[in-house]
Amino acid sequence: MKLLKTLAILSTLGMLFVLIGGALVTKTDSGMGCGDSWPLCHGELIPSEITFSLVIELSHRLVSGGVGFLVLLLSYFSWKKIGHIRETKLLAFLSIFFLVLQGLIGAAAVKWGQSDFVLAIHFGISLISFAAILLLTLLIFEIDKKFDAKSLIIPRAMRIQIYSMAIYTLAITYTGALVRHIEASLVCGSWPFCTNSNPFAFGEYNFHQWVQMGHRLVAGLLFIWVLFLFIHVLKHYKSSKIMRYGWTVCFLLLLLQVLLGAMIIFTGQNLIVALLHALVVACFFGMLSYFILLSSRSARYEKDSSTN
């Protein structure tokens, strides 16, 4: 179990580096740093001519490959050691499947090129892989003190909201990735409107501005939704630390995400701010995924209770 826990921690942290590395590749326009060669770089095992974009792209490939190996080991040993836990096998499969899928999309983009709309899917797939690895890690650490589903009852209406919010968040990450890929991050010079001096001049928007403002709109609606559920949890789950603390973290993460989105405009797309923007949404989606796990357990307990 010590080896399994070490693998889990390394895989989770490694997947965060993969996410940040992918965002860094996009932000620095280093996607073709190795030319159209894959997995080699300009057709060479050791590149003879080193450039900044080559270093970024090659580093991302090496980190992704190393993390892929760790995830493969994690999935195998998890299946073998804690396969009796209901969620283990599914999460092990999802961890590998989506990690391989994102790698294939990245390779296809290098070899044959892809549209910005297809490339924007890449980040969402990485998020799903990260969430699966994170949940697998939580399952491994639960072995010491198993979580009892009976101690937390999440009503069906709340479960539906959690599931829906996770899907909606993936859709928002797609719009955010699309903003990056079509280079629309700074097409609106103001915040929260595209032009604060003339906020409703929708007829003057070009395509890139519509994408940017569309992303801001759906992100704003998510913030309102999370705020609503946060207040609801504080009122109705006073005895549940997991719900209260968990949704407090969710709210604070999304608040930080909104502030970072505004800072991207105010700082002229500062690279550190942009990478933090990607990191925070990954943490937020990870928290949502944990509540999906808790909701699934609560639903199963509810079903078993009604059957008995």
Side-chain angles (χ1 to χ4, degrees):
M1 288 306 299
K2 185 177 180 180
L3 172 63
L4 195 56
K5 289 178 179 179
T6 302
L7 274 174
I9 293 173
L10 291 176
S11 297
T12 303
L13 293 176
M15 194 59 209
L16 276 178
F17 279 108
V18 171
L19 282 166
I20 299 303
L24 180 62
V25 168
T26 302
K27 287 292 184 183
T28 57
D29 198 22
S30 302
M32 297 303 293
C34 287
D36 59 359
S37 298
W38 192 93
L40 300 178
C41 208
H42 292 297
E44 301 173 310
L45 182 61
I46 301 177
S48 55
E49 185 177 347
I50 305 298
T51 63
F52 175 76
S53 60
L54 183 147
V55 172
I56 297 296
E57 170 66 8
L58 186 56
S59 298
H60 179 55
R61 291 187 188 184
L62 291 174
V63 170
S64 298
V67 172
F69 180 69
L70 287 175
V71 172
L72 182 62
L73 290 177
L74 174 66
S75 299
Y76 171 75
F77 285 112
S78 297
W79 194 297
K80 186 175 180 180
K81 294 291 184 182
I82 61 170
H84 60 280
I85 299 178
R86 184 171 66 98
E87 302 92 352
T88 300
K89 293 180 179 179
L90 175 62
L91 290 174
F93 170 76
L94 292 178
S95 299
I96 296 177
F97 177 78
F98 283 103
L99 190 61
V100 171
L101 182 60
Q102 72 154 350
L104 292 176
I105 291 177
V110 170
K111 295 291 290 183
W112 304 292
Q114 294 287 353
S115 70
D116 293 326
F117 292 91
V118 174
L119 289 175
I121 300 174
H122 195 264
F123 187 74
I125 292 174
S126 301
L127 271 185
I128 297 174
S129 180
F130 166 72
I133 295 167
L134 175 63
L135 292 182
L136 200 53
T137 299
L138 293 175
L139 286 183
I140 292 167
F141 278 85
E142 273 187 3
I143 295 298
D144 296 333
K145 185 178 180 181
K146 293 184 179 180
F147 180 82
D148 183 7
K150 299 178 184 179
S151 65
L152 176 62
I153 302 300
I154 303 177
R156 185 172 182 271
M158 184 68 173
R159 296 198 301 265
I160 291 175
Q161 289 209 63
I162 292 172
Y163 301 149
S164 301
M165 184 176 287
I167 296 172
Y168 186 71
T169 300
L170 280 176
I172 292 175
T173 59
Y174 176 81
T175 63
L178 185 60
V179 167
R180 292 195 298 270
H181 281 286
I182 66 173
E183 299 181 359
S185 298
L186 297 178
V187 294
C188 292
S190 303
W191 192 91
F193 298 103
C194 196
T195 305
N196 286 342
S197 59
N198 193 11
F200 303 110
F202 304 126
E204 300 176 5
Y205 285 6
N206 57 39
F207 171 73
H208 289 74
Q209 288 172 322
W210 275 113
V211 173
Q212 170 66 242
M213 291 307 298
H215 175 64
R216 292 188 192 182
L217 174 62
V218 293
L221 293 176
L222 177 62
F223 177 77
I224 294 172
W225 192 358
V226 171
L227 176 60
F228 169 77
L229 284 187
F230 174 55
I231 295 173
H232 174 79
V233 167
L234 292 182
K235 287 183 178 180
H236 300 282
Y237 291 86
K238 295 180 179 179
S239 60
S240 175
K241 290 184 178 180
I242 291 178
M243 291 294 283
R244 286 189 291 108
Y245 293 164
W247 279 99
T248 298
V249 171
C250 282
F251 173 72
L252 292 177
L253 283 173
L254 200 60
L255 178 61
L256 178 59
Q257 180 74 352
V258 171
L259 294 176
L260 287 171
M263 287 299 295
I264 289 176
I265 307 300
F266 299 146
T267 62
Q269 201 178 358
N270 178 273
L271 184 59
I272 300 299
V273 174
L275 294 181
L276 285 174
H277 193 60
L279 174 63
V280 171
V281 75
C283 296
F284 174 75
F285 187 74
M287 285 297 302
L288 273 184
S289 300
Y290 180 57
F291 281 113
I292 289 176
L293 175 66
L294 297 182
S295 297
S296 172
R297 290 177 173 179
S298 181
R300 183 177 179 84
Y301 173 68
E302 183 180 293
K303 181 180 178 181
D304 292 343
S305 298
S306 62
T307 301
N308 291 333

